[in-house]
Amino acid sequence: MATDLAAPGKRLAVKGIVVQFLVGLCMLSLSIFYDPKLSLSIILGVISFLIPHSVFAYWVFRYAGATKNRVVAQSMNQGMKLKLVLTTLIFVIAFSLLHVQPLYLLGAYAITMVSQWAAMFVLSVKN
């Protein structure tokens, strides 16, 4: 009988990603009413955290168990590197190829990041 030891962590990660997505939708809807030209900056700010963090969460929870301790640590290290590369790539594309407002892009990135921290705190205490 195989038990997925990473199942609670996977569920928590999915809930956190859903919270980030909903916060991003709220910021997008507010930006559409405030100034539609800022929407691209807001979307890219949310995407620049949401996509790399989702890839990181997938990468980290691929393996679980005491017998795979070394593989889990290696996977987490690789996931962090991949997250950094993806975030950098999205920022480079946003700032070099698209006309974005840096303050709004970085603000949306920061709000999405803080919402993830808050969600993890609230959800981990709740469970």
Side-chain angles (χ1 to χ4, degrees):
M1 179 162 146
T3 303
D4 187 9
L5 298 174
K10 288 178 184 178
R11 285 193 299 274
L12 186 62
V14 169
K15 288 178 184 178
I17 291 168
V18 168
V19 168
Q20 293 168 1
F21 182 75
L22 294 175
V23 167
L25 282 179
C26 289
M27 285 190 291
L28 179 61
S29 62
L30 289 174
S31 72
I32 288 173
F33 291 117
Y34 178 69
D35 188 359
K37 292 183 284 185
L38 301 175
S39 297
L40 179 63
S41 299
I42 301 290
I43 289 170
L44 288 171
V46 171
I47 285 174
S48 64
F49 186 79
L50 189 62
I51 290 176
H53 183 70
S54 300
V55 170
F56 172 73
Y58 167 75
W59 209 264
V60 166
F61 291 113
R62 291 186 309 165
Y63 307 106
T67 59
K68 297 181 180 180
N69 189 22
R70 193 172 71 81
V71 178
V72 170
Q74 184 180 16
S75 182
M76 185 168 187
N77 188 19
Q78 290 172 345
M80 287 191 311
K81 290 175 186 175
L82 186 58
K83 181 178 179 178
L84 180 62
V85 167
L86 287 174
T87 302
T88 304
L89 183 65
I90 293 171
F91 277 156
V92 166
I93 290 169
F95 287 123
S96 65
L97 299 178
L98 304 170
H99 183 67
V100 296
Q101 300 293 324
L103 182 64
Y104 291 96
L105 185 138
L106 294 173
Y109 178 85
I111 290 170
T112 307
M113 184 187 322
V114 170
S115 73
Q116 186 258 342
W117 294 342
M120 291 299 108
F121 178 73
V122 170
L123 292 172
S124 66
V125 169
K126 192 183 241 186
N127 290 334

